[in-house]
Amino acid sequence: MIHFRHNLLLFCPLLALLFCSSCGKSYNELAGYAQGGIWTVKCSGGDIGAEQLKEGLDSILAVIDRAVSGYNPGSLLSKYNAGEQIRDDGSAEYGVFRDLCDFCDSIYIATGGVVDCRAAALYDIWGFGFKNGQMPDEAAVKAAMKDRSKLNFNAVAQGYSADLMAEYLKRHGVQDMLVNIGGEMFCRGLNPKGEPWSIGIDTPRDGNNEPGKDLSRIFRVRRECAVVTSGNYRKFYVRDGIKYSHSIDPRTGRPVSHNLLSATVIAPNSALADALATYCMVVGMEEARQFILSREDLEACLISGDGIWESPGFGDAR
């Protein structure tokens, strides 16, 4: 059974470095395919076996796909974007869809419209949504900014998925875990060496397309939390010598042009970390830094063309 707890009023890629020796516990290594990539879980403990854990996680991800995948033409999201009315039928799929709608509406308010899941038409015309498109003219941009009829959950869906996976593992007594779905991570407890989990941040440079090959930073996570990175160095295109990134500012209708290259956010849950990593990439270094420092529940590492900035508690990730 899936439970939903993301009715939040407040509010990329990472490589987990999994050191595999023994600390007296038996660890399961689970993996599968979902949402266009690989998910992995390394965990210890639990009241059911590894095979049952994987079946449960696969079931959760299948529900999420049927609910909010923009690439599944039969999903509730695709039906909604096609103009169909989505009714509460008591299904887990509807629960996921409604939960993400509520969460995204609250994030929209909390970020002043910076993280906007109802700007799907805008992402589509720039070619970073569910449709092909590049270099729209001013009239197309203005029209897309007014179109609030479609949804795109890409800024939060993988983080939300990591949270539901972590909740499932907790319900089955798992004490130590590292959940990773597309780079959106949730950490709890210790790794197989009996140490805090180690996380690496990919160097945000164009051409660094292999996660883990070139790292800018490695740090340890010493508490239960989520870690998510968003960046502008893998999803972009260049026209007439100008780079257009996938970070679109819904307030202007255009890709951002500042020099913040990646944002790694540590937050209490992955949906929040996912949304706020996107927020940082849209507003740029100065606003992102001010925002992170204003919140006691957040830490961040921001990498720009001018260097690396870390919040005071990020180094130890306490």
Side-chain angles (χ1 to χ4, degrees), residues 219 221 223 225-228 264-268 273 297-300 313-314 317:
F219 62 97
V221 178
R223 60 181 169 88
C225 64
V227 184
V228 174
T264 299
V265 175
I266 299 176
D297 59 337
L298 304 176
E299 302 291 347
F314 187 88

Side-chain angles (χ1 to χ4, degrees), residues 32-80:
Y33 183 82
Q35 300 178 11
I38 301 297
W39 65 263
T40 62
V41 168
K42 195 173 188 70
C43 63
S44 175
D47 56 17
I48 58 176
E51 184 175 343
Q52 290 174 288
L53 285 175
K54 184 179 184 303
E55 288 176 357
L57 294 171
D58 281 333
S59 177
I60 289 170
L61 291 168
V63 167
I64 294 170
D65 180 80
R66 294 192 296 269
V68 295
S69 171
Y71 305 99
N72 178 350
S75 73
L76 296 184
L77 174 62
S78 294
K79 293 178 180 179
Y80 178 91

Side-chain angles (χ1 to χ4, degrees), residues 72-95:
N72 178 350
S75 73
L76 296 184
L77 174 62
S78 294
K79 293 178 180 179
Y80 178 91
N81 286 346
E84 293 187 34
Q85 185 175 355
I86 305 302
R87 294 183 172 84
D88 185 357
D89 58 1
S91 66
E93 287 79 3
Y94 178 84

Side-chain angles (χ1 to χ4, degrees), residues 147-204:
D147 185 353
R148 311 287 294 167
S149 65
K150 297 178 177 62
L151 292 164
N152 183 319
F153 294 128
N154 285 354
V156 298
Q158 286 195 322
Y160 179 86
S161 300
D163 286 335
L164 288 192
M165 294 169 75
E167 289 173 6
Y168 172 81
L169 294 171
K170 290 178 189 178
R171 289 199 304 274
H172 284 286
V174 174
Q175 298 298 317
D176 304 287
M177 69 177 75
L178 178 61
V179 177
N180 181 353
I181 176 166
E184 277 73 353
M185 297 186 180
F186 186 89
C187 310
R188 185 190 201 197
L190 302 173
N191 70 14
K193 292 185 69 174
E195 298 174 348
W197 296 101
S198 291
I199 307 293
I201 302 175
D202 285 325
T203 299

Side-chain angles (χ1 to χ4, degrees), residues 13-30:
L14 288 170
L15 174 73
L17 305 176
L18 307 178
F19 299 99
C20 300
S21 63
S22 175
C23 64
K25 295 182 180 180
S26 174
Y27 278 72
N28 294 313
E29 297 189 44
L30 313 175

Side-chain angles (χ1 to χ4, degrees), residues 285-318:
M285 175 65 82
E286 291 306 315
E287 286 190 51
R289 182 164 55 187
Q290 292 174 18
F291 177 78
I292 295 298
L293 291 175
S294 73
R295 293 279 297 267
E296 294 183 356
D297 59 337
L298 304 176
E299 302 291 347
C301 175
L302 308 177
I303 303 177
S304 73
D306 298 323
I308 299 177
W309 176 85
E310 295 177 357
S311 57
F314 187 88
D316 291 327
R318 293 175 178 169

Side-chain angles (χ1 to χ4, degrees), residues 90-218:
S91 66
E93 287 79 3
Y94 178 84
V96 167
F97 180 81
R98 185 71 266 163
D99 207 27
L100 270 177
C101 285
D102 292 343
F103 175 69
C104 287
D105 286 345
S106 68
I107 285 292
Y108 175 82
I109 294 170
T111 61
V114 172
V115 182
D116 186 3
C117 293
R118 296 186 183 275
L122 190 59
Y123 307 133
D124 282 347
I125 65 167
W126 283 102
F128 299 113
F130 304 128
K131 297 180 179 179
N132 294 326
Q134 283 190 8
M135 299 300 297
D137 59 25
E138 188 65 24
V141 170
K142 289 182 178 179
M145 291 177 71
K146 294 179 181 178
D147 185 353
R148 311 287 294 167
S149 65
K150 297 178 177 62
L151 292 164
N152 183 319
F153 294 128
N154 285 354
V156 298
Q158 286 195 322
Y160 179 86
S161 300
D163 286 335
L164 288 192
M165 294 169 75
E167 289 173 6
Y168 172 81
L169 294 171
K170 290 178 189 178
R171 289 199 304 274
H172 284 286
V174 174
Q175 298 298 317
D176 304 287
M177 69 177 75
L178 178 61
V179 177
N180 181 353
I181 176 166
E184 277 73 353
M185 297 186 180
F186 186 89
C187 310
R188 185 190 201 197
L190 302 173
N191 70 14
K193 292 185 69 174
E195 298 174 348
W197 296 101
S198 291
I199 307 293
I201 302 175
D202 285 325
T203 299
R205 59 172 178 79
D206 296 352
N208 184 10
N209 296 319
E210 185 178 341
K213 183 177 181 180
D214 182 4
L215 301 177
S216 288
R217 181 76 163 83
I218 298 174

